[in-house]
Amino acid sequence: MSTPEWVKDAVFYQIFPDRFAKSSRNPAATLPFEPWDSAPTTHGFKGGDLYGVLEKLDYIQELGCTAIYLNPIFASASNHRYHTFDYYNVDPLLGGNEALKKLLKEMHKRGMRLILDGVFNHASRGFWQFNHVLETGDASPYRDWFYFDEERLKGHKNWGAYPTAHEQRALNHEDSLTAIGYRAWWNLPALPKFNTDTPAVREFLFDVAEYWIKFGIDGWRLDVPGEINDDEFWREFRRRVRAINPDAYIVGEIWHEAQRWLQGDQFDAVMNYLVTTTSMNFFAANSLDMSVIQHAGGLKDRVRPINAHDCANELDRILNLYPSDITYAQLNLLDSHDMPRFLSCVNEDKTALKLAWLFMFTIPGAPCIYYGDEVGVNGKHDPECRKSFPWDEGRWDHDLLDYAKACTTLRTEHAALRRGDYKRIHAEGELLAYSRSYRNETLITAFNTSNEDKTLELPLDKKPHVLFGKPVISENQVTIPARSGVVLK
C-alpha cells in the first residue's frame, strides 16, 4: 500500500469556484453575473474564478490550510461544472488554462497542493462526441461512447435531450434510455453516462487524467466513482496517474464503507462521510435539525443522537475499516457542496461546530474545511449550501474563525495529531477522551458535550501542559467547561 506521505500532514480547504472569490484580472470579469451577495440560484453564475483563488491564498494559508480541493473547473454550462463540455480546457469564466497555470505555480511556490474534481462517469449534452451522435445518429463514429436507443439512432424517433412535457413525465417512471433515447445519470437529461466498456472512452478518460497530472495538479477527487462499476477501470486509472506522479492523491466520493476501492490498487482514500455523521450525531446530539438533514444526501439515514460510548465505538470501527496507511490519508470533512452546511444541520449550534472541528483535527485522517464554514456561513439544501463567500469582514464570525485557526495550528505543530497512534481513554455519557502518541509525544483530547462543567479522571503521570481549551486540573482530575474540548500534553 502506498498513499502519498504529504496527505497525512495536509489540511484541505474545499472551494466551489464560482462562489469563492472574483478577480478583475479575469478577462471574463466584465460579463453580466448575478450580484455577488445575492442569494444563490440553481442555474445562476456569481463570477468567482481561479484568479480570485490565487489572490486569496494568503487568507487560506493564514487559516492554516496547506492544500485545496477545487470543485470542477473544466468548461461547462453549469455553475457547478459537473456538466463537462471540454475536459482539456478550464472554463473561460474561471480564467481558462492560464489562470490554473498561475494558480498552480504560486501554490507550489508556497508548498501548497491542489487536487481537481474528476467527473468521469458522465459528460454533458454539449460534449462534442455526444452532440455528434445527436446530429448524425447511427452514422456517428462516437455512437458507442454512450448508451443510445436504437430507434433514435436510426432516426425513427426524435431525441429527448431537451425533454418535452410528455418525455419528462416518462422519465419519472422509466429509464432514460427509452424515455429520451440515451442513458443519463440519475435520469438527468443534461448528464449522459459514458460507456466505459468502449476502449476509446477508457483511453480518452485516462488521457484526461494524465494530461492534468502532467500540467501540474497534485491529484484527483473522483466524482461518483462507484457508478463506474469496474475495478479494472480504476486500477488502470491509478497506474496511469501514479506513473506520472507517484505522490498524486486519488480520493473517491464514496458516502459509505469503501473496502472495495481501498485495497491499495485503486484509491488512496475516500471522502470520509462516516466521520461527518459521527461528528454530527455526538456533538450536536441535542440540536440536530432533521428537517434539514433529510436533504443530506447519502448520510441522512445514519444521523441520530448518540452518547460518548456510541461515538467511541463508531470511531474505533471507522479507524479499523482499512489499512492504517489509508486511514491516515482519509479526507475527513464535516460538510460539502453535496449537503446542507454543518451549521444548518445543527440548528446554528456553533458550539457543536467547534467541537466537531476539534474532533476532526485530532483524529487520524486529513481534515477538510468547506469554504466559508470558518466564518459562519450557513446554508440548507443546494443551492443554499453554495453561497458566495462574504468578503466583508464585518459579516464574519471572528470567534469561529479564531477557533478554526487554533485547530489548524494545533494539528500543524504536533506530529502526534497527524501521525500518532490512536487510543481510546474514556467514553461515557457526555465525556469522551482519547490519546494520540507519536515517538516521544502523547497528547490527550477530551470533550464535554453537556451544558455544565464535568470532571474526568485521566491516566496522568504528571501535571499536563494545556495546549487547547480551558480545563481546571487537580492531580489526575480534569474539569472541562460545558460544551468544550481540551487538549493536554
Side-chain angles (χ1 to χ4, degrees), residues 274-290:
L274 300 182
V275 162
T276 310
T277 308
T278 306
S279 304
M280 205 174 283
N281 290 349
F282 180 52
F283 299 111
N286 297 316
S287 55
L288 294 170
D289 188 336
M290 300 308 294

Side-chain angles (χ1 to χ4, degrees), residues 19-84:
R19 307 289 162 77
F20 181 60
K22 185 175 180 177
S23 171
S24 59
R25 294 171 61 184
N26 184 10
T30 58
L31 292 173
F33 295 106
E34 291 181 340
W36 185 257
D37 290 322
S38 62
T41 60
T42 301
H43 300 293
F45 292 79
K46 301 294 186 189
D49 56 66
L50 298 190
Y51 286 109
V53 177
L54 173 61
E55 291 168 4
K56 300 299 183 183
L57 287 180
D58 284 348
Y59 169 84
I60 294 169
Q61 280 195 299
E62 287 167 8
L63 178 59
C65 297
T66 61
I68 293 174
Y69 150 41
L70 285 178
N71 283 112
I73 63 172
F74 303 138
S76 171
S78 62
N79 56 43
H80 50 74
R81 296 184 172 84
Y82 284 95
H83 299 36
T84 312

Side-chain angles (χ1 to χ4, degrees), residues 1 3-4 7 220-222 225 238 242 249-254 258 261-262 266-272 322 325-332 366:
M1 182 63 221
T3 57
V7 175
W220 288 103
R221 177 268 188 188
L222 303 172
R238 181 184 184 85
R242 296 296 281 273
Y249 183 43
I250 302 172
V251 55
E253 182 207 2
I254 305 291
W261 299 275
L262 297 179
Q266 296 182 59
F267 311 157
D268 295 307
V270 295
M271 298 180 75
N272 205 354
Y322 317 116
D325 218 32
I326 290 176
T327 298
Y328 284 66
Q330 290 286 76
L331 189 67
N332 294 340

Side-chain angles (χ1 to χ4, degrees), residues 75-95:
S76 171
S78 62
N79 56 43
H80 50 74
R81 296 184 172 84
Y82 284 95
H83 299 36
T84 312
F85 273 43
D86 183 349
Y87 283 84
Y88 290 98
N89 280 293
V90 173
D91 198 311
L93 294 183
L94 295 178

Side-chain angles (χ1 to χ4, degrees), residues 72-285:
I73 63 172
F74 303 138
S76 171
S78 62
N79 56 43
H80 50 74
R81 296 184 172 84
Y82 284 95
H83 299 36
T84 312
F85 273 43
D86 183 349
Y87 283 84
Y88 290 98
N89 280 293
V90 173
D91 198 311
L93 294 183
L94 295 178
N97 290 7
E98 187 63 24
L100 178 61
K101 184 183 298 183
K102 289 177 178 175
L103 175 60
L104 277 167
K105 182 178 180 180
E106 182 59 29
M107 287 185 66
H108 289 162
K109 180 181 172 183
R110 294 168 179 242
M112 301 177 74
R113 311 271 184 158
L114 179 69
I115 65 168
L116 296 185
D117 212 320
V119 188
F120 301 129
N121 172 69
H122 50 263
S124 71
R125 290 175 292 212
F127 180 69
W128 165 251
Q129 290 85 343
F130 181 78
N131 196 257
H132 198 282
V133 180
L134 294 189
E135 295 290 339
T136 61
D138 199 39
S140 174
Y142 301 115
R143 62 186 176 273
D144 294 330
W145 279 51
F146 298 89
Y147 302 90
F148 292 110
D149 171 36
E150 289 294 323
E151 290 294 292
R152 263 91 166 187
L153 277 176
K154 290 178 168 55
H156 299 159
K157 287 183 179 180
N158 291 323
W159 297 109
Y162 295 90
T164 63
H166 172 74
E167 289 165 334
Q168 191 61 54
R169 285 193 294 272
L171 279 170
N172 294 331
H173 57 79
E174 64 180 277
D175 190 271
S176 57
L177 187 64
T178 55
I180 59 175
Y182 57 91
R183 181 150 292 136
W185 184 67
W186 278 28
N187 272 14
L188 296 170
L191 299 174
K193 179 175 172 60
F194 278 118
N195 178 3
T196 53
D197 290 334
T198 299
V201 172
R202 296 170 86 91
E203 191 56 38
F204 172 82
L205 295 174
F206 295 149
D207 188 71
V208 169
E210 290 176 316
Y211 178 85
W212 292 106
I213 293 291
K214 291 174 183 174
F215 195 90
I217 71 167
D218 299 292
W220 288 103
R221 177 268 188 188
L222 303 172
D223 183 59
V224 294
E227 301 281 346
I228 299 180
N229 188 21
D230 179 353
D231 292 350
E232 189 49 43
F233 177 92
W234 293 118
R235 291 187 185 109
E236 180 67 11
F237 181 94
R238 181 184 184 85
R239 286 193 291 268
R240 296 279 197 103
V241 166
R242 296 296 281 273
I244 297 166
N245 180 0
D247 282 333
Y249 183 43
I250 302 172
V251 55
E253 182 207 2
I254 305 291
W255 289 64
H256 46 79
E257 293 180 18
Q259 290 92 333
R260 171 182 174 181
W261 299 275
L262 297 179
Q263 300 295 320
D265 58 351
Q266 296 182 59
F267 311 157
D268 295 307
V270 295
M271 298 180 75
N272 205 354
Y273 284 104
L274 300 182
V275 162
T276 310
T277 308
T278 306
S279 304
M280 205 174 283
N281 290 349
F282 180 52
F283 299 111

Side-chain angles (χ1 to χ4, degrees), residues 307-343:
N307 59 25
H309 180 73
D310 292 337
C311 177
N313 284 349
E314 178 63 4
L315 183 57
D316 283 339
R317 188 183 75 85
I318 292 170
L319 296 180
N320 287 285
L321 284 173
Y322 317 116
S324 62
D325 218 32
I326 290 176
T327 298
Y328 284 66
Q330 290 286 76
L331 189 67
N332 294 340
L333 68 161
L334 298 184
D335 53 12
S336 72
H337 64 292
D338 276 330
M339 60 173 284
R341 287 183 182 258
F342 190 92
L343 267 180

Side-chain angles (χ1 to χ4, degrees), residues 342-399:
F342 190 92
L343 267 180
S344 293
C345 288
V346 302
N347 265 310
E348 309 298 316
D349 181 356
K350 292 180 180 179
T351 64
L353 177 57
K354 287 180 176 181
L355 291 168
W357 270 338
L358 184 59
F359 179 70
M360 182 173 70
F361 277 87
T362 55
I363 63 172
C368 182
I369 296 174
Y370 185 41
Y371 80 102
D373 278 1
E374 73 278 8
V375 295
V377 173
N378 59 7
K380 297 181 181 179
H381 187 48
D382 171 29
E384 286 188 38
C385 58
R386 303 172 180 181
K387 291 178 180 176
S388 300
F389 190 101
W391 287 108
D392 174 4
E393 295 187 26
R395 297 168 57 194
W396 293 2
D397 186 318
H398 289 275
D399 179 57

